């Protein structure tokens, strides 16, 4: 199957996807040394976890589940490559 334009991955409306990424972000928030906490306020991430809006946060595809997944990916990248925030 060919796709024109950008990929909407991970675009899903399955509630289990939201539950899974939310649980993973909660685990990140339990780690006081999580790299993402140097960039994003904890209360903003907690607010994201409690948000149930259907409209996109930004762009056309980034609703709450995808935004949570992006934050998880950012945290992973910061830790994996040992990015230092000065």
């Amino acid at each position: 199957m060919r796709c024109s334009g950008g990929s909407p991955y991970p675009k899903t409306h399955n509630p289990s996807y939201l539950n899974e990424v939310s649980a993973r972000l909660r685990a990140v928030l339990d780690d006081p040394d999580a790299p993402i906490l140097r960039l994003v306020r904890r209360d903003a991430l907690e607010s994201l976890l409690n948000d149930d809006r259907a409209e996109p946060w930004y762009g056309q595809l980034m609703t709450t589940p995808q935004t949570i997944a992006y934050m998880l990916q950012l945290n992973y990248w910061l830790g994996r490559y040992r990015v230092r925030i000065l």
Side-chain angles (χ1 to χ4, degrees), residues 13-69:
H13 299 285
N14 188 325
S16 64
Y17 180 77
L18 175 58
N19 292 339
E20 181 63 28
V21 294
S22 295
R24 290 181 186 205
L25 185 57
R26 284 187 184 91
V28 166
L29 291 176
D30 287 341
D31 178 4
D33 297 322
I36 196 167
L37 296 176
R38 293 184 188 111
L39 288 177
V40 182
R41 292 186 340 253
R42 176 185 299 276
D43 64 319
L45 293 172
E46 289 169 351
S47 177
L48 175 64
L49 287 169
N50 294 319
D51 196 300
D52 61 355
R53 74 173 88 185
E55 70 271 2
W57 280 80
Y58 52 92
Q60 295 179 353
L61 304 172
M62 297 300 281
T63 58
T64 300
Q66 293 78 30
T67 304
I68 293 171

